Amino acid sequence: MAKAPELLAPAGSLLMMRTAFDFGADAIYAGQPRYSLRVRNNSFGTIAALKEGIDEAHARGKQFFVVSNIFPHNAKLTTYLEDMAPVIALKPDALIMSDPGLIDMVRETWPEQNVHLSVQSNTVNWAAVRFWKKLGLTRIILSRELSLDEVAEIRQQCPDIELEVFVHGALCIAYSGRCLLSGYFNHRDPNQGSCTNSCRWDYKVSTSDGAAPAGCGQPPQEQEILLEERMRPGELMPIEEDEHGTYIMNSKDLRAIEHVQRLVEIGVDSLKIEGRTKSPYYVARTAQSYRKAIDDAVAGKPLDPNLLRELDGLANRGYTDGFLQRHHDADYQNYLRGHSESDRSLYVGDAVAFDAARGLMEIEVKNKFSLGDRIECVHPSGNFIAPVLRMENRKGEAVTVASGSGHRVWIDLPAQYTNSFVARFV
């Protein structure tokens, strides 16, 4: 039987951490805002919060990795060791780092501390893996730009160091996250943790002379290409465009669940989900799906196509398997499309408490759903699918619609699905 890789999930809060563990993750990663690439939506900004998270993870037999992967300017070097000393004292299972200077400082000061090399360092070959191993690092998070065959070659050349591969989440339009767009548009440096996801905004393209941009294969014209973002009307931002188009556009999201079996066979040590700023529902759905995919792969079972549908229930910009497989045959593409586009679902609420007197479950509504809708409860013990046959408001009055975020309704769900996530099939 093949070795099961670690399932590593994101955690921007204690709730996300607990959700990840409940739904099958072996480890989570979280970061202090000052030194990781996620300043916003990060609840681990204090030593007390980090301590609670690390202690709870260890009590459950799980691992907690602290992200410290910025590329710091000089000012942050002067405070780094002092700020990190109380973090190291909490005994995180590893630090995830990218900057050679900070890595050197940590290795000199705390040589016993495990350090994992961040994807930000763009490791794309086995020679680089060997270099970092010589410096005492215990795991390399490989660049997202590698193919499965390249990952396999690195594994063969470097059998004595842990390798980690991203399998799900947002993809940067820049090389493994080294993006400058947010700094250009908003003066918020992505490499300091304050990315505003500028590549994912809604843009219109125009030109300085008012004409349509030159199309692919047409002769270049003397015109400046301008971008206008939907939420900033009238603010025209110049860009460059060539015969292939403009590169300031967002990428599809990564979904590599169909490659889990190959990654298990290669011997990758950790499969990683991106998304520290996402919702607990996102963590629940992805951790549950990849847990099953890993367990099935280790047991020699084929991919369950229902997992593709379940991941399609998450908000996404369309899926791609990135660079892992460069060319797909028609049969493979049809297999993915046929399962992932059918029976999709939308996150609509959280089941927060069961009212025994009324025999109804209280739902904190996130998105609109209605009486008669077919819903799925996503729960660690297993998912439950049923139609909504009864719905009441706070006053106990029968209603037909849960209007959306901010509302609470009571519906007919069994008590054992308390603390589940509710999705509506669309």
Side-chain angles (χ1 to χ4, degrees), residues 395-421:
K395 299 178 181 179
E397 301 167 337
V399 293
T400 60
V401 177
S403 299
S405 182
H407 292 268
R408 287 180 181 254
V409 296
W410 282 256
I411 65 174
D412 50 334
L413 284 181
Q416 61 264 38
Y417 291 97
T418 305
N419 297 323
S420 64
F421 300 95

Side-chain angles (χ1 to χ4, degrees), residues 70-106:
I70 62 164
F71 289 105
H73 291 217
N74 291 332
K76 288 187 177 179
L77 294 181
T78 59
T79 58
Y80 184 73
L81 291 179
E82 180 181 352
D83 289 346
M84 291 303 294
V87 176
I88 301 297
L90 300 177
K91 299 189 182 305
D93 295 283
L95 298 183
I96 299 175
M97 306 183 69
S98 57
D99 183 74
L102 292 188
I103 291 172
D104 186 52
M105 292 167 69
V106 167

Side-chain angles (χ1 to χ4, degrees), residues 7 9-10 15-16 19-25 273 279-291 310-311 314 378-380 383 419-421:
L7 177 58
L15 175 59
M16 284 183 69
T19 301
F21 291 152
D22 287 346
F23 283 86
I273 299 167
S279 69
Y281 172 68
Y282 169 90
V283 174
R285 187 64 102 174
T286 52
Q288 185 183 62
S289 297
Y290 281 90
R291 177 77 273 153
E310 291 174 3
L311 292 174
L314 297 169
V378 182
H379 192 270
N383 299 350
N419 297 323
S420 64
F421 300 95

Side-chain angles (χ1 to χ4, degrees), residues 365-377:
V365 182
K366 302 297 183 181
N367 288 290
K368 179 181 176 181
F369 68 100
S370 303
L371 198 69
D373 282 346
R374 193 163 63 100
I375 62 170
E376 179 180 23
C377 295

Side-chain angles (χ1 to χ4, degrees), residues 154-227:
I154 291 173
R155 175 78 292 168
Q156 292 165 5
Q157 294 287 343
C158 307
D160 52 355
I161 188 171
E162 293 183 1
L163 300 179
E164 181 175 304
V165 171
F166 274 92
V167 291
H168 198 94
L171 286 173
C172 289
I173 207 69
Y175 204 93
S176 276
R178 293 199 182 197
C179 182
L180 295 175
L181 291 181
S182 180
Y184 175 63
F185 290 149
N186 289 319
H187 308 292
R188 290 176 58 178
D189 188 347
N191 301 307
Q192 298 298 308
S194 55
C195 182
T196 55
N197 300 114
S198 304
C199 64
R200 294 178 169 243
W201 297 346
D202 182 9
Y203 294 100
K204 292 181 179 179
V205 181
S206 62
T207 65
S208 55
D209 59 8
C216 179
Q218 296 180 0
Q221 302 178 24
E222 293 296 327
Q223 53 181 227
E224 185 179 28
I225 307 298
L226 305 171
L227 282 183

Side-chain angles (χ1 to χ4, degrees), residues 118-423:
S118 171
V119 73
Q120 290 288 114
S121 292
N122 308 138
T123 304
V124 295
N125 62 70
W126 54 261
V129 173
R130 288 183 177 180
F131 167 80
W132 289 110
K133 183 179 183 298
K134 290 177 183 177
L135 296 186
L137 275 67
T138 56
R139 179 184 294 185
I140 306 300
I141 306 171
L142 296 175
S143 174
R144 292 182 177 98
E145 288 72 28
L146 293 176
S147 69
L148 288 166
D149 289 342
E150 289 173 311
V151 173
E153 184 177 1
I154 291 173
R155 175 78 292 168
Q156 292 165 5
Q157 294 287 343
C158 307
D160 52 355
I161 188 171
E162 293 183 1
L163 300 179
E164 181 175 304
V165 171
F166 274 92
V167 291
H168 198 94
L171 286 173
C172 289
I173 207 69
Y175 204 93
S176 276
R178 293 199 182 197
C179 182
L180 295 175
L181 291 181
S182 180
Y184 175 63
F185 290 149
N186 289 319
H187 308 292
R188 290 176 58 178
D189 188 347
N191 301 307
Q192 298 298 308
S194 55
C195 182
T196 55
N197 300 114
S198 304
C199 64
R200 294 178 169 243
W201 297 346
D202 182 9
Y203 294 100
K204 292 181 179 179
V205 181
S206 62
T207 65
S208 55
D209 59 8
C216 179
Q218 296 180 0
Q221 302 178 24
E222 293 296 327
Q223 53 181 227
E224 185 179 28
I225 307 298
L226 305 171
L227 282 183
E228 182 181 31
E229 203 274 319
R230 182 171 60 89
M231 302 301 293
R232 296 166 174 79
E235 296 183 23
L236 302 180
M237 299 172 284
I239 63 169
E240 294 183 359
E241 185 173 89
D242 63 17
E243 69 274 13
H244 301 295
T246 175
Y247 303 100
I248 306 182
M249 297 292 168
N250 75 63
S251 167
K252 291 182 178 180
D253 290 332
L254 175 66
R255 183 193 64 192
I257 198 166
E258 58 269 29
H259 298 304
V260 165
Q261 186 170 20
R262 176 78 192 283
L263 291 166
V264 168
E265 293 169 352
I266 289 170
V268 170
D269 298 279
S270 180
L271 303 184
K272 186 172 191 174
I273 299 167
E274 183 277 339
R276 279 185 283 158
T277 62
K278 299 288 183 65
S279 69
Y281 172 68
Y282 169 90
V283 174
R285 187 64 102 174
T286 52
Q288 185 183 62
S289 297
Y290 281 90
R291 177 77 273 153
K292 178 169 172 47
I294 290 171
D295 292 346
D296 285 350
V298 170
K301 298 178 182 178
L303 173 70
D304 181 352
N306 288 319
L307 298 178
L308 301 168
R309 173 191 61 78
E310 291 174 3
L311 292 174
D312 255 356
L314 297 169
N316 66 80
R317 293 170 172 81
Y319 283 126
T320 175
D321 58 353
F323 297 88
L324 289 172
Q325 187 169 343
R326 304 301 172 95
H327 304 289
H328 302 109
D329 58 44
D331 290 341
Y332 183 76
Q333 290 284 34
N334 289 337
Y335 166 77
L336 295 179
R337 185 177 301 114
H339 288 96
S340 65
E341 291 184 357
S342 61
D343 215 14
R344 295 182 61 184
S345 58
L346 172 70
Y347 174 43
V348 295
D350 297 337
V352 296
F354 185 75
D355 186 334
R358 298 162 70 184
L360 296 175
M361 183 75 71
E362 182 181 5
I363 304 296
E364 183 178 342
V365 182
K366 302 297 183 181
N367 288 290
K368 179 181 176 181
F369 68 100
S370 303
L371 198 69
D373 282 346
R374 193 163 63 100
I375 62 170
E376 179 180 23
C377 295
V378 182
H379 192 270
S381 65
N383 299 350
F384 171 77
I385 298 174
V388 180
L389 300 177
R390 183 181 167 198
M391 185 186 300
E392 296 181 359
N393 61 18
R394 294 175 186 268
K395 299 178 181 179
E397 301 167 337
V399 293
T400 60
V401 177
S403 299
S405 182
H407 292 268
R408 287 180 181 254
V409 296
W410 282 256
I411 65 174
D412 50 334
L413 284 181
Q416 61 264 38
Y417 291 97
T418 305
N419 297 323
S420 64
F421 300 95
V422 180

